[in-house]
Amino acid sequence: MRGKARGTAVSALLLGLSLAFAGLSAAAAAEPSLSGNFLPAVIATSEPHRNALVDLIRGKPGLPAWVRNMVSRDRYVALASSRVEVEGRAMQLFAACQPGNCAESAIRLLFTEDGKRVVMRIADLKLGTVVLGEPSPEELAVLAAQ
């Protein structure tokens, strides 16, 4: 009898652990992660992110071609996003650069958690440093950090 009771207790424990982990997974799935995402995928799947980026770069003369076209063509090197805290708010930081020319033409973008606002810092050898979107001093510090 002891063996059967122990087996039942172990089964109940495993079932409880499985349900607990399932609950954690569901909670994590309901809350999108701000880290580990790639800009081309986010632009393709999130209308707020795409619209914010389009509005940010539309009509800005002199931007590098790869930046102007980044919404319609993912011909750039993009690193996984990271979650950062700025002024007590969670934000999503992306970095990208021109393929084969990362040292000379790169950007950093900082999106609000909902993707509806974005600020950008472009560091380009020919263009210099350009900041778009009127970042706060704290946001600018995050964009400028390397």
Side-chain angles (χ1 to χ4, degrees), residues 63-112:
L63 297 180
W66 72 272
V67 174
R68 273 195 324 271
N69 297 320
M70 68 187 310
V71 174
S72 59
R73 294 185 211 125
D74 61 356
R75 296 182 186 157
Y76 51 92
V77 177
L79 301 177
S81 67
S82 58
R83 182 185 188 279
V84 295
E85 289 283 327
V86 181
E87 301 168 352
R89 305 186 314 254
M91 297 187 82
Q92 189 171 30
L93 178 65
F94 290 94
C97 64
Q98 184 180 27
N101 202 20
C102 286
E104 296 182 7
S105 190
I107 62 170
R108 288 172 56 97
L109 301 105
L110 191 59
F111 282 92
T112 55

